[in-house]
Amino acid sequence: MSAPLPGARVRETVLPLLVPAGRTTAMGVFGGYQLNEAAGATVDGAGAGRLAVCVTVGALSIRAAIGGSRPLLRRVTADPAQTAD
């Protein structure tokens, strides 16, 4: 297996997830802040803590899925001259 393949696979998996998730999270935080400000409510740390936990669990899940698929990638790319029967 060539060395650049795992790195390329990680980039192709993480970037399409990271960009929309980051934008969506930022828009949600901004919108929530604006709504709280318009309503005169205060922002508590519990919601921010839950958001941080969810983002962390999601990132760890993606990392685990990428790591778990490595043996399959190695097996599939071990013999590049496979033919369909």
Side-chain angles (χ1 to χ4, degrees), residues 13-65:
T13 303
V14 172
L15 285 178
L17 292 172
L18 185 64
V19 172
R23 286 181 182 172
T24 304
T25 302
M27 287 177 10
V29 168
F30 177 75
Y33 180 78
Q34 293 299 320
L35 284 173
N36 280 337
E37 190 175 278
T42 59
V43 179
D44 65 342
R50 276 185 250 135
L51 178 62
V53 167
C54 289
V55 169
T56 302
V57 169
L60 291 174
S61 299
I62 291 168
R63 190 88 167 142

Side-chain angles (χ1 to χ4, degrees), residues 1 3-18 57-75:
M1 177 168 66
L5 189 57
R9 185 173 61 96
V10 169
R11 282 188 303 277
E12 288 181 2
T13 303
V14 172
L15 285 178
L17 292 172
L18 185 64
V57 169
L60 291 174
S61 299
I62 291 168
R63 190 88 167 142
I66 290 171
S69 65
R70 276 196 182 124
L72 175 63
L73 180 64
R74 281 191 203 112
R75 191 178 75 203

